[in-house]
Amino acid sequence: MSLAESMQVTLRLPTRTLFEGSVQRLFATAQNGAFGMLPNHTDFVTALVPSVLILTSTDGTETFFGVDEGMLMKTGHQVDIAIRRGVQGKDLETLNETIQAAFIEVDEEERVARSALSRLEAGIVRRFGDLRKPTV
């Protein structure tokens, strides 16, 4: 593998690509803490937690993203990031405002759907428990 000064990063949402380009540095947060990555970093896969993702382009410009949970996979000089939700901000202050509007104010339909799914999962667990009980 050759040494590189940049890596290709693709940041994908379920419905579209949020970012695609060449960067010299990446900063993200995984379940076990924050980390930085340079182009010649070892290959790996990690789960991301809701946090701020910072990409530094080859000209030194920083781009900020508010990301929800997702996965990051680095192979060679290619980094693929798949997230459930994400927004781009010009700086940390405007990103915070955008995140407040997009992530924290979850609409009522999503809360109702999550509640229904939780009840369904609990019912399935109870039924599996009943299958293990001996019949008399």
Side-chain angles (χ1 to χ4, degrees):
M1 183 184 302
S2 64
L3 294 180
E5 294 185 18
S6 68
M7 54 191 160
Q8 285 300 117
V9 175
T10 305
L11 179 59
R12 292 184 175 94
L13 298 168
T15 58
R16 66 185 175 92
T17 299
L18 186 58
F19 174 86
E20 190 166 15
S22 183
V23 304
Q24 67 178 3
R25 189 175 21 207
L26 175 151
F27 180 80
T29 306
Q31 293 174 332
N32 58 346
F35 64 94
M37 181 184 298
L38 297 172
N40 299 302
H41 194 284
T42 186
D43 294 353
F44 76 100
V45 175
T46 189
L48 299 178
V49 296
S51 59
V52 175
L53 171 72
I54 304 171
L55 301 177
T56 305
S57 68
T58 53
D59 68 1
T61 306
E62 289 185 326
T63 307
F64 301 92
F65 298 91
V67 299
D68 202 350
E69 54 197 20
M71 295 296 294
L72 179 146
M73 180 175 70
K74 181 179 186 303
T75 307
H77 302 300
Q78 178 68 41
V79 180
D80 291 304
I81 305 169
I83 54 174
R84 195 166 63 100
R85 293 184 294 185
V87 294
Q88 183 174 351
K90 293 179 181 157
D91 54 40
L92 288 176
E93 185 177 326
T94 59
L95 181 61
N96 184 42
E97 294 167 4
T98 306
I99 290 171
Q100 293 289 332
F103 288 6
I104 297 175
E105 297 174 7
V106 179
D107 64 10
E108 184 62 28
E109 287 181 17
E110 188 172 341
R111 281 194 294 268
V112 168
R114 287 182 183 178
S115 176
L117 182 59
S118 293
R119 287 192 303 274
L120 180 63
E121 289 171 345
I124 290 170
V125 169
R126 277 194 301 276
R127 287 193 175 92
F128 275 127
D130 290 343
L131 290 174
R132 299 185 81 185
K133 293 179 184 175
T135 57
V136 183

